[in-house]
């Protein structure tokens, strides 16, 4: 008895006291059940079993807490990725190693090959490749040169870089990722809330049932009082809802962590579970399906024009303009010959540009200006119509008498857009395109990626109306955009996805799910992860209740001992925890 009492004191004094406090307040929790079971076993002389119950229960609690910590620490471990020190350029041009926490905004830091980036910044000198997997989830290193952003905790793999700091310690993209995940972990998923409500009813019901087993059989069926009390205590231990309560938070946190490792920030268990119910998703075109930057995709001389002359002249005129289409043409035309100068350069609002190149007056303009000058022909119109049907923007080089060259600029598809749309369809999610671009361009891009429902020329309020229409037709829907101009539609949708949001504060705040890079395939990953998380949650609930039902029947039949009961409870807890942690291994096939 003395040894058993010492074992109970060492293993479960905290649990025992917690249970008694809850009992005095009229709240019947897990610790209360264990305290009553240990007290009852001691009173009927079952001291070894009482000690074993408390010791094994304490061990199970320890293992559960360690498992939950493992899931949480998987994301909190990101904090250790950012280096503690940074090599900063001093006022005299020398380099000094200082704590990263003390580096001010706009300071210049040097990152050698193999080192981690200490803070968010913009490359001011050098060229290298950066492994951004810890922030964006990208498996392939990204080329970086002057002007490109870099993120804290990413790894410089190539040459030396000098970076101007754009976010101090505590405000980096990595810091915001950790903050978002920690806030998400504090929220409750629907299944988790259900389990907690169920346990609040289940625990008092079990206690009442145990009291009934202890009192009624001796009075009505001539059972021995000690036998009835022992069975009641066994029932208390078996029915302890440890496994049921621990299964949901571990599974949800594992799901959130698995997503964060892939550069997907899900703001709470509600959205993690809700994504499985998506039936349609509205996709913005520019920056979501396409690169968002026009590029020259085709050019050709027209008529008898000399190709070299056309190329040189177009490069000269386009290089003088800051219009995105002109910039795309200038960048796309590569020539080894010297670019001539431009005299009398003039920008024509809504039309193009004109100037004198090699003594010849030329225009680099849109279709409208060429028509106004009467330089179009049926053959040229047919060529332009062919390109416009593919969603391309046409620019023409012309002199005073004829068109000399045709240049087609388009916003090209992102790599993987077709595959991402196909995966969404395979998951039963209908993709719809909503864009402010013209309908013909919208239709051309939609055809390329495999979307049948494409709606163009939409203002923000039109997108909002389209989301409401889709909700009536499909039910639960999502909206994916850049998190700024699509904000009204994202707010109306059941789930809002912000694409390519690394380093963007507004996208972090407005979206329910933040895709840290611009990989559209991460949306399909989110839906698949949500479905797997939901399946594991209900597997755990079924396991926890099923195991208890079996041992409950054994206890009623007099075949279960208290030792068996505590092993059953501990085993069920370990089983559901291990099942929930499987989410950390990732998604099958990804």
């Amino acid at each position: 008895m003395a040894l058993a009492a010492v074992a109970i004191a060492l293993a479960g004094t905290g649990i025992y006291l917690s249970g008694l406090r809850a009992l005095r307040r009229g709240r019947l929790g897990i610790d209360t059940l264990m305290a009553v079971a240990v007290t009852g076993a001691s009173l009927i002389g079952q001291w070894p079993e009482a000690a074993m119950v408390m010791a094994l229960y304490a061990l199970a609690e320890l293992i559960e807490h360690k498992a939950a910590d493992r899931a949480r620490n998987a994301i909190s471990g990101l904090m250790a990725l950012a280096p503690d020190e940074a090599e900063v350029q001093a006022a005299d041009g020398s380099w000094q190693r200082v704590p990263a926490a003390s580096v001010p905004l706009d300071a210049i830091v040097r990152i050698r090959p193999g080192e981690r980036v200490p803070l968010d910044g913009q490359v001011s000198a050098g060229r290298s490749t950066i492994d951004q997997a810890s922030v964006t989830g990208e498996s392939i290193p990204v080329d970086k040169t002057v002007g490109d952003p870099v993120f804290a905790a990413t790894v410089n793999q190539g040459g030396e870089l000098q970076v101007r700091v754009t976010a101090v310690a505590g405000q980096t993209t990595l810091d915001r990722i950790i903050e978002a995940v920690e806030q998400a972990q504090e929220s409750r998923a629907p299944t988790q809330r259900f389990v907690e409500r169920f346990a609040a009813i289940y625990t008092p019901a079990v206690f009442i049932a145990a009291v009934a087993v202890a009192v009624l059989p001796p009075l009505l069926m001539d059972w021995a009082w000690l036998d009835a009390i022992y069975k009641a205590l066994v029932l208390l231990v078996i029915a302890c809802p440890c496994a049921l309560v621990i299964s949901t938070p571990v599974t949800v946190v594992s799901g959130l962590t698995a997503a964060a490792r892939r550069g997907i920030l899900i703001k709470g268990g509600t959205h993690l579970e809700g994504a499985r119910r998506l039936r349609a998703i509205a996709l913005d075109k520019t920056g979501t399906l396409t690169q968002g930057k026009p590029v020259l995709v085709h050019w050709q001389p027209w008529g008898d024009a000399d190709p070299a002359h056309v190329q040189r002249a177009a490069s000269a005129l386009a290089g003088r303009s800051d219009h995105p289409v002109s910039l795309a043409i200038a960048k796309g035309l590569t020539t080894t010959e010297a670019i001539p100068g431009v005299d009398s350069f003039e920008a024509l609002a809504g039309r193009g540009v004109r100037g004198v190149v090699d003594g010849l007056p030329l225009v680099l303009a849109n279709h409208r200006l060429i028509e106004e000058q009467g330089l179009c022909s049926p053959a040229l119109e047919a060529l332009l119509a062919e390109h416009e049907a593919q969603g391309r923007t046409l620019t023409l080089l012309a002199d005073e008498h004829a068109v000399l060259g045709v240049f087609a600029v388009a916003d090209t598809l992102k790599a993987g857009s077709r595959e991402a749309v196909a995966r969404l369809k395979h998951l039963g999610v209908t993709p719809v395109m909503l864009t402010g671009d013209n309908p013909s361009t919208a239709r051309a891009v939609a055809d390329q990626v495999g979307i049948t429902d494409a709606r163009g020329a939409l203002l923000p309020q039109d997108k909002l109306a389209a989301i409401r229409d889709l909700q009536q037709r499909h039910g639960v829907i999502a909206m994916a955009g850049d998190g700024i101009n699509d904000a009204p539609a994202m707010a109306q949708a059941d789930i809002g996805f912000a694409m390519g949001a690394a380093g963007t504060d507004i996208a972090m705040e407005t979206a329910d799910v933040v895709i840290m890079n611009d990989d559209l395939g991460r949306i399909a990953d989110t839906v698949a992860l949500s479905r797997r998380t939901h399946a594991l949650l209900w597997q755990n609930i079924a396991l926890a209740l099923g195991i208890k039902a079996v041992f409950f029947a054994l206890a009623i039949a007099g075949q279960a001992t208290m030792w068996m009961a505590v092993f059953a409870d501990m085993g069920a807890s370990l089983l559901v925890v291990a099942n929930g942690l499987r989410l950390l291994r990732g998604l099958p096939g990804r």
Side-chain angles (χ1 to χ4, degrees), residues 162-479:
Q162 292 183 21
V163 173
R164 181 179 61 82
V165 175
T166 58
V168 297
Q171 300 177 9
T172 65
T173 301
L174 180 68
D175 293 322
R176 295 202 305 275
I177 290 173
I178 295 169
E179 181 182 1
V181 174
E182 288 175 346
Q183 290 174 354
Q185 291 175 1
E186 293 172 1
S187 66
R188 294 289 186 267
T191 304
Q192 188 171 350
R193 291 196 298 268
F194 163 77
V195 167
E196 290 171 353
R197 290 195 301 268
F198 178 80
I201 299 170
Y202 169 85
T203 305
V206 165
F207 193 83
I208 293 170
V211 171
V213 168
V215 174
L216 295 180
L219 296 177
L220 303 177
M221 302 170 61
D222 295 327
W223 284 20
W225 280 98
L226 286 181
D227 289 343
I229 293 172
Y230 183 80
K231 286 186 178 181
L233 296 176
V234 171
L235 288 178
L236 280 183
V237 176
I238 290 173
C240 182
C242 307
L244 186 64
V245 172
I246 194 65
S247 65
T248 47
V250 167
T251 304
V252 170
V253 171
S254 296
L256 294 171
T257 302
R261 284 178 170 180
R262 289 157 185 77
I264 306 168
L265 293 189
I266 304 176
K267 297 185 179 179
T270 299
H271 306 305
L272 174 62
E273 279 203 72
R276 71 182 176 85
R277 300 169 54 236
L278 288 179
R279 294 296 174 264
I281 181 166
L283 302 168
D284 183 35
K285 180 184 74 69
T286 306
T288 301
L289 289 166
T290 63
Q291 297 286 355
K293 297 178 181 179
V295 296
L296 181 66
V297 294
H298 174 82
W299 79 273
Q300 66 182 80
W302 187 251
D304 298 328
D306 176 36
H309 169 67
V310 170
Q311 187 175 14
R312 292 175 64 253
S315 295
L317 288 170
R320 291 290 299 273
S321 172
D322 60 358
H323 191 280
V325 172
S326 294
L327 293 174
I329 293 173
K331 186 176 180 180
L333 291 175
T334 55
T335 176
T336 56
E337 299 183 27
I339 304 299
V342 179
D343 298 322
S344 304
F345 179 83
E346 182 182 359
L348 307 173
R351 297 291 191 275
V353 297
R354 65 184 173 193
V356 178
V357 180
D358 291 336
L360 296 173
L362 299 172
V363 294
L364 186 65
N366 58 22
H367 188 189
R368 182 184 303 174
L369 180 61
I370 300 302
E371 280 187 328
E372 291 173 356
Q373 293 185 349
L375 299 179
C376 277
S377 65
L380 182 60
E381 292 283 1
L383 176 66
L384 298 183
E386 179 183 337
H387 283 288
E388 288 172 350
Q390 300 177 53
R392 296 173 175 177
T393 300
L394 279 303
T395 302
L396 300 99
L397 178 69
D399 59 18
E400 296 175 334
H401 308 290
V403 172
L404 304 176
V406 178
F407 303 86
V409 170
D411 185 4
T412 57
L413 285 181
K414 288 181 180 177
S417 288
R418 295 185 190 89
E419 293 78 4
V421 169
R423 286 187 64 211
L424 287 169
K425 288 181 176 180
H426 180 72
L427 291 168
V429 180
T430 303
V432 179
M433 181 194 293
L434 304 180
T435 179
D437 213 335
N438 67 76
S440 61
T441 300
R443 183 70 268 158
V445 173
D447 288 342
Q448 292 179 59
V449 297
I451 295 177
T452 55
D453 187 355
R455 311 179 190 186
L458 299 180
L459 297 174
Q461 59 267 31
D462 299 325
K463 289 187 177 182
L464 182 60
I467 292 294
R468 290 172 177 158
D469 173 61
L470 290 171
Q471 286 174 323
Q472 292 178 353
R473 291 169 51 192
H474 296 280
V476 180
I477 74 158
M479 172 71 194

